[in-house]
Amino acid sequence: MRFLADMSKAEMESWAERSGLPAYRGRQIFSWIGRGAACFGEMTDIPASLRDALERGRATVAGAGGEAGAGAHGAAGADALDAATGAGDSGAPGAAAGAAGVAAMAAPGASVDPGASAAPKSNVSFGWPGLADARGAASATGAAWAGGADVAAGGTGIPAIAGVYPSRRDETVKYAFRTWDGNIIESVLMKYRHGYTACVSSQAGCRMGCAFCASVPAAFSRSLSPGEMLGQVAAIGRASGAPVSRVVVMGIGEPFDNYDSTLKFAALLHEHGEIGIGYRKLTISTCGHLPGIRRLAGEGLPIGLSVSLHAPNDAIRSSLMPINRKYSIDKLIEGCKIYTYATKRRITFEYALIGGVNDSPGSARELAGRLRGMLCHVNLIPVNRTERSAFAPPPGSVVSAFADALRRGGIEATVRRELGADVMAACGQLRNSLPGGAPGNGL
Ligand code: SF4
């Protein structure tokens, strides 16, 4: 099962036709979703009677992958990281798994299955069960339920904005979203010299367990669907009015732990002309998920790649990032070289400078030696404080000395401006709860 926001334009046309509607209605809905419409009532070029029908009972699509339910990674088991990083396990299967069978969640007594292609238009009806019935049915089948009171009226699958937190120090704005099943996810709008960048989450929680990050693994709930990722961009653009010109998948979650949905999201973003973010304006950030890097290298897409390195050697990196115990720095760098070779795109290595841990002159020299000759750039980030760790950023003089040492070693390096730290919107500070302590998952 998946949501309308998860569909490509062609899938939406097919859905419309299978629902007994002309294909152009699908294109109209597709366009509205790109503009951030959270409910059918906003789609003013669609007849009121049809909007009303869609509002009251949305059709859902069954049988294709890329869905939130199948994308959910149970964190149970002794080695969640192994499960998360093993070959072929990344995310929901087969997002482009061909034509979906359309099935209405028919209300008791509903007369027609919109999925029946022979259904005459005049007999098409939409309907959905009440909240309790639907949740019961979903849990009985193990499927995700695609509608309900938590979704903004007659929802399209776009998560609803649950909070807006503008920084008082800069123009950064953090957005909290509530998904259809009550998860809270966070996104950030940042202003740079080149324009506005939206940073979106790929999972509700994260299983990677990086020591400096507020997205605690214990709170992992599930992976997000492509539409839930797209919805963050569309809703931020709409709510802020800002011309978002770049998107980074650098919020909560490891995107390659949700590979298929992330790739479908990239395709949707590219296709939605209203949003205007092609592959080149998208950057995916990974903590070092090597199978994901290799797989993306083989896609032939000019997507930017950012890799959280944070250490010059395995000893330090393994102490900060459990994934390094599975994929060593040597293997990771090798995978990154393959990526640059395949895409001709420069990789950005993120390096959070942590006082007394990875900020020594020796670390800088070791890092420069490791990266020499690569098509890359190092982004130094004085670590941001979180409730979860005692890590503190080094003094500014140490940060500057580290950057200079990298440059002397032939590595391009910049120091990232701290944006949005006062609203916990900076790197490593995002979490799946509302500010004030309300839990995010399982509400
Ligand atoms: S830094 Fe990224 S990959 Fe690591 S725990 Fe946090 S969200 Fe997950």
Side-chain angles (χ1 to χ4, degrees), residues 361-380:
S363 287
R365 284 193 297 274
E366 192 176 0
L367 182 62
R370 202 174 272 289
L371 302 182
R372 193 162 296 131
M374 277 190 75
L375 183 59
C376 73
H377 164 261
V378 175
N379 201 11
L380 297 170

Side-chain angles (χ1 to χ4, degrees), residues 206 208-210 212-213 215 251-254 287:
C206 183
M208 298 296 125
C210 301
F212 46 81
C213 179
S215 304
I252 301 167
E254 164 53 52
C287 67

Side-chain angles (χ1 to χ4, degrees), residues 203 205-217 250-255 286-287 308 310 321 388 428 430:
Q203 296 181 305
C206 183
R207 299 196 293 175
M208 298 296 125
C210 301
F212 46 81
C213 179
S215 304
V216 289
M250 206 179 275
I252 301 167
E254 164 53 52
T286 176
C287 67
S308 297
H310 304 321
M321 307 179 75
R388 189 176 169 236
L430 297 186

Side-chain angles (χ1 to χ4, degrees), residues 300-384:
L301 299 170
I303 294 173
L305 182 68
S306 167
V307 175
S308 297
L309 198 56
H310 304 321
N313 57 49
D314 285 327
I316 298 177
R317 193 162 194 269
S318 291
S319 73
L320 296 173
M321 307 179 75
I323 196 166
N324 195 72
R325 294 176 211 145
K326 191 165 180 79
Y327 307 116
S328 67
I329 287 199
D330 280 346
K331 288 183 190 161
L332 176 59
I333 299 291
E334 205 47 50
C336 291
K337 286 179 179 169
I338 291 170
Y339 193 83
T340 57
Y341 183 78
T343 62
K344 308 287 180 277
R345 292 213 60 176
R346 186 181 74 164
I347 285 187
T348 296
F349 288 108
E350 308 290 345
Y351 194 102
L353 280 165
I354 305 172
V357 175
N358 63 358
D359 61 342
S360 68
S363 287
R365 284 193 297 274
E366 192 176 0
L367 182 62
R370 202 174 272 289
L371 302 182
R372 193 162 296 131
M374 277 190 75
L375 183 59
C376 73
H377 164 261
V378 175
N379 201 11
L380 297 170
I381 313 150
V383 72
N384 291 299

